Amino acid sequence: MIRYLAKLFNALAKRQRSPVKQSSVTKLDSGLTHNLKHIMDELGNGSDVVNRQFLIGRSAPVLAGVIFIDGLVDQEMINDNILQPLLRIELERPVDLDVLEKSFLAVGGLKRVETMETLVEGVLTGDTALLIDGQPSALLLSTKKWEQRGISEPDTEVIVKGARDGFTETLRTNTALLRRRIEHPALRFDTMKIGKKTRTEICVAYIQGVAEDKLVEEVKKRLRRIDTAGILSTESIDQFIDDAPFSPFATVGYTERPDVCAAKLMEGRVAIIVDGTPVVHTVPFLFWESFQSPDDYNFRLFYANTMRWIRYLAFFTSVLLPGVYVALSSYHQELIPTNLLISMAAATEGTPFPAVVEALGMGVVFEILREAGIRLPRPVGQAVSIVGALVIGEATVTAGLVGAPVVIVVALTAIASFLVPSQVESAAFLRVVFTCLAGVFGALGIINGLIFVYIHLASLRSFGVPFLAPVAPIVPADLKDVAVRVPIWMMWTRPKSIDSPDRIRQAMRIRPEVPEEGHDDDRS
Amino acid sequence: MKLEKGKIDGRQLMTLMAGFLFGSAVLIYPGQWAGNESWIAIWGGFVEGCILLLVYIALMSRFPGKNFVEIVKEVYGRFLGNLVALFFLAYLFHLGSLVGTNYHDFIKLTMLVQTPSSVILLFNSLVIVYAVRKGIEVIARCSEGMVVLLCVFYVIIFLMSCSQIEWTNFLPFFSAPLAKVLWATQMTGSFPYGEVVAFLMIFPAVNNLKEIQKRSLKALLLATLIFSIGSVQTIGVLGDTARLYVYPGFQSGRLINIANVFTRLEIVIGVNFLLMGFLKMSVLLYTTVLGIAQVFNLKSYKPLVLPVGFLMGLAALINFSTVSENIEFNNLVYPIYVLPFQLIIPLITLVVALVRKLPRNGGDSI
Amino acid sequence: MRKGWMVLAVLVCLLAGGCWDRQELDELALAFAAGLDYDMEQKQVKLITQVIRPGQMKSAESGGGSTGQGGQKASFILESQGKTVFEAVRKASFQISRRVNWTHNMVIIFGKGAVKAGVDKFLDFFVRDPEPRPHQHILVADGRMEEIFKFRPNLEKASAQTLEGMMKNAVMTSEIYPVTLQEFVNDLMSYSKAATAPVVAVIGEGKDQKLQLVGTAVFKREKCVGKIDPKETRGMLWVIGKVKSGIFSVPSKDYGEVGIEIIQASSKIQPKLDGKELTVRVDVKAICNIGEQQGGEDVSKPEKLFRFQKKLESEIKKEIEKAIKRSREMKADIFGIGEAFHRKYPKQWKSLEPEWEQHFPKVKFSLNVKAKLELIGESLRPLHAY
């Protein structure tokens, strides 16, 4: 069904896109001034466009020109490797591009172009265009260099043990980070440009033979479908290729860590790297990936497993706790232990609102505080949290506006939700739904709500893979990294649900073995 | 033309069928009418269920890849076949509404006393309609986790109530009159075991015929084991008072008290029931709408789901005027009422198919 | 998308429709104890409900039965009447601003009138209604019931909590047999077995008042037929194997007493039907520990221990025999002997059951008590220089 729809949409998209492809192609003229003028017009005589004309050769000088965009190029390189050799050419006879290319230009990347469009496009990406009077073609010299952020640890995915590098805003840096981790020729980067105006470079990364060909094709198909003016962040790409756009759950994963991305590629997934953002998307994305942190694989087995389960618990807490509190306190008092009930009743004595309103209200207050804490400059943000914690939390309780249990519940919920960063968005939404349902139906509302969410999750697919795999449907082989994290040497197959053509990840019997005691004697 | 393209595998069939059997039975568990002898009734019902299942599978294997509505159409011809099919579908619809009634009674009696019945059933129908619209594949996928969860819950609850079980409650053995035990066996045979007749509509979604047979029997066995655990727990804990309560299983959960920490566990039994009731109702709604769509040669069953789902909820509302009527119906009428649907129609269809040597084009069964 | 709107509309309707069963915590009056009595002349059920004030329950000042902030006590009582228990329950809610909630009720106490009139008609409400839980303890009041409800305990805030705690402590002596609603109803439903419930009374006057469990009431079917004292209660518990712990005093050879603690006990009832003759063989096994010694006997010698054991066995036997004697007088089968016959001889039981009251006093008991002193505490010798 999904495939069919995708195909259908693709066909529609092709029909729409066809006029774009037929846009006129302007061949380069042999007259230099005409060409330069045309290019400058195309670029709108921008103040950042540098147009330098000079003469090549002493005896029969030929007029030549370079065009590049200031700030995108390596000025030094242009001076030393392009302009200097060209200005010192001693040849008598008129030069042609071949000779220049072969003997004089000390530039790594070099491309001969015939059309105006490719030339302009190249200049816009930071190449330098070299045009020579009388030649109907030009040279694009790769001189890209611009100011960029250094490789630093991503703030959003901090880990305790492990690599500290993170993706940056530059596509090339990112691909290089991946290449450094997977030094195999099968690692492929297929690039395409998306966005009529932004012409964002997008790179589909995968390991051939490990990622399913159909999957790669599907990703490219969905990317090609995007026909928009501009892509400014990966997030917008995510929304274009999402399987279930109206679901609270994202079916496309993201990471800022090259080690995570490389691990996903090794599992047979496909990564989408977009120029201009440090966030790399991986597909297919399954629900349980949200609970996997790189630390899980770096820490000792038992600790890592405990933490994994704490994260599951935290997710359920962050979604259900306010709802459960409301259901228990206003519907099922018989389920609360007597002493706890007395404490709760004593604490809520005389509060003006029903529990459901308290829980929803305090939830909103928390969201406001959180948003303020993120948006405000850091020093002010701290002030906000102090005000939030002390004034709002303490004062509302002492003033008798809300009961203390609600404040505890909301605070616990809030903290729990940060344990699973990639599900923060879905949890925030579901929390409200469950609180409302609990307010109307008590436990019945929560259970029916859970069934509803479960059906929804089970019906989702991420690029053809059931979103809830390997739990629904149960894939026993894949539970090794979901129910528990088994030792790395036991994970000898790739996840079955992703259906990689190369199922075997490593040799089966590589359990660490301690040499027999006799060997110790030999050594000593 | 296939209305349902979804495919389920053997294990999913097993969990779906087990979940279907658990249905309302985890609460009003089978054989409770027989008191101390309920476990005899449960295993008697299991044998009866196995026999019925073999009839269904014999029918299935003659017409591979066809569900019951398609089979009767082929066996009895277009007109008569549709008539039989509608008759059968009416039963599935009614069964769905009966489960709805149980569901609603339970909620009214234990949790939400004042909430209007219509609201509870509407809410419930919404969830089921949503599930059925997603298709059998999703329902089956959901069933896997739910059934595993239920079994774990059940075993935990049983272990926790072990300390409360008075083994003398089971004595004396075989004290009930034979007629009562036989009647109780027929009760368990008809509810829940015989109700797997609904799966005649679902079997074609499974690829492998051998798998169907093996997994269905396993599902029956799993359900029987869980029922046995439940009945041992209930009789052991409650003894004679088991006869006192409408929901003895629920009551036995209330009695669990381990070190004053693990108490009030009846909610777990309640949750089990709500989950399994959901599964059973979804399966029944799904089979009903699928059958209707096939009888009337519709292109898709999806538009039917919402109206039929709400009608089912409505029927659940007006089935009985009081709870005791429902209990009376379950105890006295239901075991006889279901005979035509669970036994006679499938059996006659099988016999007619054998006599007419159907299917004509070489019955190459897999 | 239209679908989504429809779902949304239905959800909004549900939310707007209201919350029918919602009961906020601050709209509840939690009942902790229910006292039931019956006025024979007016045919009225009299209900006393102990309701707590959560605020006062929590505040530290209001401990020890004194009054808390604002001079309010942690609990108060409501008295109401009605033709049925349910009517009385609703009328109790009518006297206060909140609805009485029974989900955490701890004890049900029967007054004199109620036990005379038959308790079954009062208990049905507590079984049928979804609010009360099956773990509530059943008690019978000796003397005026209001006193029990108004009693100000020292540690807890409400007398119901004290009673609940006393039930838990019953295992220390095994002289009281606490019964829960579930167990009581189970016994009531049996034709042959007599149900029992502890008897509670307030002893003393004014400041020196104390709550005490004074014995066990015996019910034949729904009516109370008598009372047995704590020692007899333990005699009953030996037979049914419910002795958990307890203390015995056995005279020492020279002077003083030896305090012996029961650690573990079990029993086995084997009925035997021989023609018209009904005999029951009761095997009681007890494992004990020396907890205290006043005299000067050296218990580190095994033969001394054996002597104690013999003594102990005869003491236990005496207790059991007293209980059997009392039960014969009352013609009440407090041991569940009838049930044992029912299990073993289901066919003959049909003829025995209707006249069990006549048969029971004739049942012959043969008692086999085995006591074992396994431990002697942490000292080897008595505290004597010689």
Side-chain angles (χ1 to χ4, degrees), chain A residues 314 318 366 370 374 412-422 424 431:
Chain A
S318 72
F366 161 70
R370 191 178 65 95
I374 295 172
L412 199 56
T413 309
I415 292 171
S417 72
F418 293 129
L419 258 70
V420 189
S422 54
V424 164
R431 192 183 306 147

Side-chain angles (χ1 to χ4, degrees), chain A residues 331-332 334-338 437 441 443-445 447-448 451-452 454-456 458-461 466 472-476, chain B residues 11-12 103 107 111-112 119-120 123-124 127 130-131 134 137-138 141-142 144-146 148 264 266-267 271 274-275 278:
Chain A
Y331 284 89
H332 308 287
E334 75 269 20
L335 296 176
I336 311 173
T338 309
L437 283 175
F441 294 106
L444 176 70
I447 294 161
N448 272 357
I451 295 177
F452 206 93
Y454 193 50
I455 304 165
H456 176 73
S459 70
L460 286 184
R461 275 170 183 277
I474 292 177
V475 184
Chain B
R11 191 176 49 233
Q12 285 172 339
Y103 182 95
I107 289 160
M111 292 196 221
L112 307 171
V119 175
I120 296 173
F123 184 38
N124 183 32
V127 179
Y130 181 69
K134 294 282 176 191
E137 223 169 312
V138 170
R141 229 182 271 162
C142 283
E144 283 183 289
M146 286 184 182
V148 170
R264 305 155 211 278
E266 73 266 23
I267 185 77
V271 169
L274 295 185
L275 290 183
F278 152 77

